[in-house]
Amino acid sequence: MKKRIPLLVLLTLFPSIHCIRKFPTTPPTPPEIKTGYYVYVGNEAIWAGAGVYVIDTDSHAVVDSIDGFPYSVYQLAITKGGSKLYVCTCDGPVNSPGNVYSVDLMTKEIKLILERSANVYTAPSGLVLIILKETPYTDPRHIGTIDTLTDEIHFFDVLDLWDEKENDQSVVFDPRRPIFYAPDKGLLLLAYDYERMEIIRRYQTRAVFLRMVISPDGKTLYVAGGPVFDLEADSTIVEGIGENFQGSLALSNDGEYLYITDPRKRLHDDQIIRRISIYSTKTNTVIGYPEFPDYCNEEGAATPSFS
C-alpha cells in the first residue's frame, strides 16, 4: 500500500499561464490507496480559444484539459470539496470584456454564470467570493458570494479596491477569521470582514500591496518587491522581499520558506535575470536560488510564476 504525503506544489510556467489550484484526487481501489493532487492551470490564448490543463502530480503529466473558453483564462478558484472549478476570463487589460464560468469537474460541464470580468476566490471556510473588475467610468468594485450548488451570485457590498489584470494575489484571506486583506485605490491596505460586510481597518503603512501571501497564523504579510508586514502593529518588519513587485509568491505549508519569482518586467531594466529565490521566514534572508535551466538566468527566458 502506497500513500503519498501531500507537499507544496510549485511550478515554473510560461508567461501565458496563470492561476494554479489543487485538490485531492479520488483514491483508487484498495490496497493501492494513495493520496495525490491535481493541479489546474489556465492558459492565455490570443488567437484561439483558451482552456485549462489538468496535471497529475503523481505522474507529473498533463492528463486532461477543459477547453472552449473564448477569452484568456487569468484566474481559477476551486471549491473546498474539489467538485467545481470557477474560471475567470478576460479579453485584454482592465476594463476589457470577460466572463465567469463554472465547471463541474465530474461531468466537465461548462456553464456561463456571468458576462462580466471578475475575480473569484475561495475563502478558507469554503465560501466562494466574487469581486467584479472595473468597467469604464466606474470606480467601485462590487463584492458578492456564489452559491456553489446553483451558481447564483448575490452581491452585498461595494469596495473601492485596486484593480489590475493578472493579479489574483492582491486579495489574501486570514486563515483564522472571516477577513481578507486587499489594497484600495491609493494602494493602502485594508482589512474587510466579509461576514459583517464592513471594512474593519485601514492601514497607514505605504507599500505596493499587489502580490501577497499571508502567514499560517494570519499575523504577517509577505509582499513581492515590498516588505514583510506586521498586520497587528501596522509596521514593516523587513524591507524589500524580492526585487520586483510583479513577481509571484508561494509560502510553504509550515510557513518557514517563501518562494519568490523575479520576472524583471520593469521598464528600462537593462539586466534581464529571471529567477526564483528561496527566502527563510525565520532569518528573513534569501537562502538560495534553485536552478530551472529552461526558464531562468538567460535573456529571453520565460517568466516563472507559481502559487
Side-chain angles (χ1 to χ4, degrees):
M1 183 180 297
K2 177 184 177 184
K3 185 173 181 179
R4 290 200 306 124
I5 299 174
L7 300 174
L8 175 73
V9 178
L10 299 176
L11 288 88
T12 56
L13 303 173
F14 290 100
S16 60
I17 303 177
H18 308 279
C19 307
I20 308 166
R21 296 293 183 267
K22 58 189 178 183
F23 77 100
T25 59
T26 303
T29 304
E32 294 299 323
I33 295 176
K34 61 181 180 180
T35 301
Y37 288 94
Y38 287 143
V39 178
Y40 290 85
V41 183
N43 78 319
E44 192 174 272
I46 298 176
W47 303 112
V52 176
Y53 299 111
V54 184
I55 300 172
D56 184 347
T57 60
D58 188 46
S59 62
H60 304 292
V62 176
V63 295
D64 202 357
S65 65
I66 304 168
D67 303 308
F69 304 104
Y71 302 133
S72 296
V73 175
Y74 69 90
Q75 188 181 2
L76 304 173
I78 198 164
T79 55
K80 195 169 184 179
S83 62
K84 187 172 287 187
L85 183 72
Y86 289 99
V87 180
C88 302
T89 68
C90 191
D91 190 30
V94 175
N95 300 338
S96 297
N99 298 319
V100 179
Y101 301 86
S102 71
V103 181
D104 185 315
L105 292 175
M106 296 297 292
T107 65
K108 294 178 66 175
E109 178 185 1
I110 299 174
K111 177 182 176 183
L112 174 64
I113 65 170
L114 181 68
E115 293 184 271
R116 173 81 182 270
S117 294
N119 296 94
V120 177
Y121 306 91
T122 302
S125 64
L127 183 71
V128 177
L129 293 171
I130 182 169
I131 303 177
L132 293 185
K133 298 184 78 65
E134 292 180 353
T135 56
Y137 314 112
T138 64
D139 288 330
R141 299 181 64 191
H142 289 77
I143 178 173
T145 58
I146 301 177
D147 186 318
T148 57
L149 294 177
T150 65
D151 293 323
E152 292 182 357
I153 300 172
H154 170 64
F155 291 105
F156 57 80
D157 206 348
V158 177
L159 295 177
D160 191 29
L161 297 180
W162 183 267
D163 192 6
E164 182 177 332
K165 188 189 178 233
E166 301 176 356
N167 193 15
D168 67 335
Q169 288 192 292
S170 65
V171 176
V172 294
F173 289 83
D174 190 312
R176 308 164 303 161
R177 301 174 295 169
I179 294 169
F180 69 71
Y181 301 92
D184 65 13
K185 284 290 186 181
L187 286 179
L188 286 174
L189 192 69
L190 60 82
Y192 182 82
D193 187 316
Y194 49 86
E195 285 190 353
R196 292 160 53 185
M197 296 180 288
E198 63 180 0
I199 296 172
I200 59 173
R201 186 172 184 180
R202 289 186 180 271
Y203 292 85
Q204 300 304 309
T205 301
R206 289 193 172 273
V208 183
F209 293 102
L210 289 182
R211 310 279 175 139
M212 306 180 291
V213 290
I214 193 169
S215 61
D217 60 11
K219 296 180 179 180
T220 307
L221 276 185
Y222 298 92
V223 183
V228 178
F229 185 70
D230 187 321
L231 286 165
E232 293 182 348
D234 191 357
S235 64
T236 295
I237 301 172
V238 176
E239 292 283 359
I241 300 300
E243 301 177 26
N244 195 316
F245 69 86
Q246 292 179 319
S248 299
L249 302 171
L251 192 65
S252 62
N253 293 334
D254 58 11
E256 291 189 8
Y257 299 102
L258 181 69
Y259 299 82
I260 312 164
T261 66
D262 182 9
R264 295 294 178 97
K265 291 182 179 179
R266 290 168 294 187
L267 191 62
H268 307 309
D269 195 340
D270 295 330
Q271 188 181 22
I272 301 177
I273 301 177
R274 296 177 170 92
R275 64 185 178 186
I276 295 175
S277 305
I278 303 176
Y279 183 90
S280 169
T281 61
K282 288 185 174 180
T283 63
N284 287 316
T285 57
V286 174
I287 60 174
Y289 301 93
E291 293 291 335
F292 293 89
D294 291 339
Y295 302 96
C296 301
N297 298 328
E298 59 180 277
E299 187 169 348
T303 302
S305 64
F306 51 76
S307 70

